[in-house]
């Protein structure tokens, strides 16, 4: 993802959607991007309530648009109707990134953005920033999940552009091949630990090569290879270093992921203690 010039912000007028709108406004000011503020009337809404709900949504969109415009951001509102996640994902195709809250409270209408955010991340081909915390200051401490793939590199590079003066923790979660089998075969713990040290050494060497590809001063890059299950390692390390944003690449979905939250990226999104930027494979 290049520096964003156009952001789609999805809102259901909940508190967390408000966090997302203000974060998007801060990013827009930082990058001179424009913002489209979108609300979707769900297709499950009874027809008798549609006109009234549309009028209230238009009023709420206008008020939020005016609030963000007062901060000097180029914002325009748009009211959509249909399946919430599908409409957001479709609208995102015309923008550089989509920004949305992690959970919705349904304060205006009786639906929430919570599970919708996961469906949008699965469905969009654009980078998706899921905002979990209030905050408008530029991101200063980021964690990039590194599996040495091209989506991971694209995500790390994107994070570096969003935080040009910040620290970027490059974290690789490694596991020893057949570790459980080694233990089952009676290999002693000292030998298993030797295998771990060897695996950590290989991972650190790969992280240094990964860091060298990024157009970022080396003093801003903090690599770490940590043994364990990747989603757990990423979330725990984000909490440990005080990361404000996790950036993670997302590989193209297989059939299982379409049915379940199966990828590392989506497990991190579900459990992260901070905002998460998911960059899909092949994102423009």
């Amino acid at each position: 993802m290049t520096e964003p010039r156009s952001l789609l912000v999805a809102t259901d007028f909940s508190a967390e959607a408000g966090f997302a709108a203000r974060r998007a406004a801060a990013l827009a000011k930082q990058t001179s991007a424009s913002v489209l503020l979108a609300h979707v009337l769900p297709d499950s809404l009874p027809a008798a309530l549609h006109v009234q709900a549309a009028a209230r949504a238009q009023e709420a969109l206008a008020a939020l648009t005016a609030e963000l415009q007062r901060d000097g951001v180029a914002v325009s509102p748009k009211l959509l109707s249909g399946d919430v996640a599908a409409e957001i994902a479709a609208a995102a195709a015309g923008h550089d990134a989509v920004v949305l809250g992690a959970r919705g409270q349904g304060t205006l209408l009786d639906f929430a953005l919570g599970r919708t955010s996961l469906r949008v991340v699965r469905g969009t081909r654009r980078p998706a920033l899921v905002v979990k915390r209030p905050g408008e200051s530029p991101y200063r401490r980021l964690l990039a999940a590194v599996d040495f793939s091209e989506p991971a590199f694209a995500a790390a590079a994107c994070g570096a552009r969003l935080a040009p003066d910040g620290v970027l923790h490059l974290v690789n979660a490694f596991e020893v091949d057949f570790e459980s089998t080694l233990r089952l075969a009676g290999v002693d713990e000292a030998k298993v630990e030797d295998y771990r040290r060897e695996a950590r050494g290989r991972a650190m060497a790969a992280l240094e090569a990964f860091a060298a590809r990024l157009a970022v001063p080396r003093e801003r890059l903090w690599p770490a290879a940590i043994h364990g299950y990747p989603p757990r390692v990423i979330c725990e390390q984000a909490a440990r270093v005080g990361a404000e944003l996790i950036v993670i690449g997302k590989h193209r979905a297989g059939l299982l992921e379409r049915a379940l939250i199966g990828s590392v990226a989506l497990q991190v999104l579900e459990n992260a203690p901070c905002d998460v930027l998911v960059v899909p494979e092949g994102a423009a």
Side-chain angles (χ1 to χ4, degrees):
M1 179 180 119
T2 58
E3 190 171 82
R5 294 298 178 187
S6 176
L7 300 173
L8 173 70
V9 181
T11 183
D12 65 355
F13 310 114
S14 66
E16 288 199 343
F19 301 160
R22 284 181 279 279
R23 171 58 69 183
L27 289 174
K29 290 175 70 175
Q30 178 183 328
T31 62
S32 300
S34 62
V35 172
L36 180 67
L37 186 64
H39 175 76
V40 183
L41 291 174
D43 52 13
S44 59
L45 194 67
L49 298 178
H50 196 277
V51 173
Q52 179 184 0
R56 293 173 64 192
Q58 291 281 22
E59 291 175 1
L61 276 173
L64 185 53
T65 297
E67 176 190 333
L68 300 181
Q69 287 174 338
R70 284 194 291 272
D71 289 334
V73 180
V75 184
S76 56
K78 187 167 187 178
L79 184 63
L80 302 168
S81 181
D83 177 83
V84 178
E87 290 295 328
I88 294 169
H95 300 269
D96 295 317
V98 57
V99 184
L100 63 165
R103 296 283 188 273
Q105 300 301 321
T107 53
L108 180 67
L109 298 175
D110 188 20
F111 80 100
L113 201 59
R115 293 297 163 181
T116 299
S117 64
L118 297 177
R119 292 178 58 209
V120 171
V121 172
R122 279 203 298 261
T124 184
R125 299 305 310 152
R126 297 300 191 209
L129 174 60
V130 179
V131 178
K132 294 193 169 193
R133 293 178 171 180
E136 301 173 43
S137 300
Y139 292 121
R140 301 286 300 180
R141 189 172 296 275
L142 284 68
L143 184 147
V146 178
D147 64 1
F148 308 116
S149 66
E150 285 307 308
F153 182 80
C158 180
R161 286 191 292 271
L162 288 180
D165 299 316
V167 170
L168 184 60
H169 293 262
L170 304 175
V171 176
N172 172 252
F174 72 91
E175 297 179 283
V176 175
D177 291 338
F178 312 116
E179 183 170 334
S180 60
T181 302
L182 292 173
R183 285 200 170 88
L184 187 64
V187 175
D188 64 52
E189 193 62 33
K191 186 61 176 177
V192 173
E193 187 57 37
D194 286 341
Y195 287 130
R196 283 188 183 178
R197 278 193 292 270
E198 292 172 5
R200 181 178 290 107
R202 290 191 297 271
M204 286 301 299
L207 279 169
E208 289 294 342
F210 186 96
R213 294 178 59 198
L214 293 168
V216 178
R218 181 62 182 80
E219 62 269 18
R220 287 179 48 213
L221 300 175
W222 295 16
I226 300 171
H227 178 264
Y229 179 56
R232 177 180 55 78
V233 165
I234 292 163
C235 293
E236 288 182 354
Q237 188 68 2
R240 186 173 297 117
V241 304
E244 300 151 338
L245 176 68
I246 294 172
V247 293
I248 186 167
K250 177 179 175 292
H251 298 269
R252 286 190 173 89
L255 291 176
L256 178 61
E257 185 185 318
R258 293 191 185 102
L260 304 172
I261 303 170
S263 76
V264 171
L266 294 180
Q267 290 182 64
V268 168
L269 177 59
E270 184 81 336
N271 297 297
C274 58
D275 298 354
V276 181
L277 175 66
V278 180
V279 181
E281 185 174 357

